[in-house]
Amino acid sequence: MLLEVRAVAPFYKNGFVVGCERTRDAILIDPGDEVEQLIDAVRRQSLAVRYILLTHAHVDHITGVGPAKSAFDAPVYLHTDDLPFYEHGVEQGQMFGLTVRQPPPVDVFYDESPIRFGDYEVRVHHTPGHCPGGVCLEVIQNGGRGKGEGGRGKEEAAPHLFVGDTLFAGSIGRTDLPGGNYDVLMRSITQVLFALGDDAAVHPGHGPDTTIYHERTRNPFVLEYLASKA
């Protein structure tokens, strides 16, 4: 799997290019202010972006959707529960004293259908709590873990999870923003994300990568929550 990540001021939000090394098909995840760097990475790798996938619609995750759509003419995907945030991108920017151009309309709302590009597919898991329409994008090789199965064979690679602002290395997403809910967020983390396997790589919306195992066993917010439920 080809993976490019970029982050720039003021939010230092991670935007991702994920590509198939064989077919050169790719997806763009959460293009924000770093979008021009993502576009350059796509062109340098000679990739063909098939989809623009959003983990949620907070302003730092959507400011680059317009330029990305213009560059690649790829459909934009979002969870329907975050549409109100998306439709008020300009107002979100004003809250931070920023001038934001309204992103183009959403083309597709996520359902349970896998999204395929090259030799890979994306499985979408609804993970609300940071916001109502937050999702985790689980990227696996075609023919990998069957839906609902708890493990993989020895020959199957671990999934890559693009979790937006649900889970971070050593931390969790904010729940003090509109639509946030701590209990819902913790259920998304412990019941949805953790079920995807300890060896899953986690690519958060901010900060460094981590793994499900590391966050399940060492994340202080997770440990406190699990202890409270014991």
Side-chain angles (χ1 to χ4, degrees):
M1 188 182 84
L2 302 172
L3 177 61
E4 300 268 2
V5 57
R6 301 288 188 275
V8 301
F11 296 108
Y12 293 100
K13 189 277 310 163
N14 295 328
F16 302 94
V17 177
V18 184
C20 174
E21 60 274 37
R22 183 183 68 84
T23 67
R24 316 309 289 184
D25 285 350
I27 58 174
L28 205 62
I29 298 175
D30 287 352
D33 292 340
E34 75 296 327
V35 64
E36 294 302 328
Q37 294 184 17
L38 297 178
I39 292 171
D40 288 344
V42 168
R43 291 172 175 163
R44 177 172 47 80
Q45 294 265 25
S46 299
L47 300 174
V49 172
R50 303 303 184 190
Y51 308 102
I52 299 168
L53 307 181
L54 305 178
T55 62
H56 64 296
H58 283 161
V59 65
D60 51 332
H61 292 253
I62 64 172
T63 54
V65 174
K69 178 78 171 181
S70 296
F72 305 121
D73 194 28
V76 177
Y77 282 63
L78 179 71
H79 193 283
T80 186
D81 289 351
D82 253 29
L83 184 60
F85 292 120
Y86 191 84
E87 292 181 332
H88 291 86
V90 172
E91 290 82 357
Q92 287 194 69
Q94 291 171 347
M95 292 174 59
F96 294 94
L98 302 174
T99 300
V100 173
R101 178 175 294 182
Q102 182 62 33
V106 173
D107 295 294
V108 183
F109 293 109
Y110 294 121
D111 56 24
E112 295 184 356
S113 303
I115 301 165
R116 295 182 172 88
F117 65 103
D119 297 330
Y120 295 86
E121 67 177 48
V122 182
R123 294 176 179 174
V124 182
H125 304 273
H126 188 203
T127 51
H130 175 64
C131 55
V135 301
C136 164
L137 303 172
E138 178 190 13
V139 178
I140 62 172
Q141 287 185 292
N142 289 333
R145 181 176 62 84
K147 188 172 184 180
E149 295 177 8
R152 289 172 295 280
K154 292 182 179 179
E155 301 302 321
E156 297 175 19
H160 289 259
L161 310 180
F162 297 85
V163 300
D165 292 356
T166 296
L167 179 66
F168 301 116
S171 189
I172 59 173
R174 294 177 60 174
T175 57
D176 59 339
L177 299 172
N181 185 297
Y182 171 79
D183 287 329
V184 171
L185 177 73
M186 297 310 298
R187 287 197 297 272
S188 290
I189 293 171
T190 60
Q191 298 177 22
V192 180
L193 297 184
F194 287 2
L196 299 176
D198 277 351
D199 55 348
V202 176
H203 306 282
H206 301 264
D209 292 345
T210 183
T211 65
I212 289 297
Y213 175 78
H214 190 277
E215 300 314 310
R216 184 178 63 79
T217 59
R218 299 186 182 183
N219 186 306
F221 297 92
V222 168
L223 295 178
E224 179 182 16
Y225 174 78
L226 293 176
S228 72
K229 300 298 180 182

